[in-house]
Amino acid sequence: VVEGRLLRKAASLQEAIARLKTLAGNTHHLVTGVALVEGGHVQWAHADTTVVRMRVASKGVIEGYCARRGEELLASVSCYEIEGEGAQLIETLEGDVFSALGLPLFPTLAGLRALKALAT
């Protein structure tokens, strides 16, 4: 979510470049969630938000990053990957890194333990 807008995955590398230029120097929210389902019924659910402040990056830095990473960036709504070179685009991150990666790991493990799917 950036400036109150829910983003979808970019359809092209040009759109990814434009997205990163918009995010540069701004703050956005990465929202992720998980549900544990049994027998077609949600037994447990959790949502989490991570706040990411992007550093001001030049057009050359952004375009170079996109050229090196290519269309694999289209798999991420934010068009960067914090677990690799994309971390250089970030100034600060507030919240759970695992949630930013797409899975609130520790709450999920707690949910599995609560459902007795993992040992306590």
Side-chain angles (χ1 to χ4, degrees):
V1 178
V2 64
E3 298 173 350
R5 290 182 301 129
L6 181 63
L7 300 178
R8 306 263 184 240
K9 290 183 180 179
S12 68
L13 202 49
Q14 290 70 31
E15 189 177 338
I17 291 168
R19 168 124 351 123
L20 288 174
K21 287 178 181 176
T22 297
L23 294 177
N26 290 311
T27 299
H28 62 284
H29 298 83
L30 301 174
V31 181
T32 189
V34 63
L36 302 176
V37 178
E38 184 176 15
H41 301 284
V42 175
Q43 303 297 314
W44 179 91
H46 177 81
D48 196 25
T49 300
T50 306
V51 180
V52 181
R53 171 93 182 148
M54 304 296 278
R55 72 178 186 87
V56 176
S58 70
K59 176 182 172 183
V61 166
I62 291 169
E63 290 178 354
Y65 171 69
C66 290
R68 286 187 299 281
R69 304 309 299 164
E71 291 194 0
E72 70 186 41
L73 295 178
L74 304 182
S76 169
V77 172
S78 53
C79 300
Y80 64 88
E81 298 166 328
I82 68 168
E83 65 273 25
E85 182 184 357
Q88 295 182 54
L89 301 174
I90 298 171
E91 186 172 301
T92 63
L93 185 142
E94 297 174 29
D96 181 21
V97 172
F98 289 111
S99 289
L101 291 170
L103 177 69
L105 180 61
F106 298 124
T108 301
L109 293 172
L112 288 166
R113 286 190 295 273
L115 295 174
K116 308 220 183 301
L118 288 177
T120 57

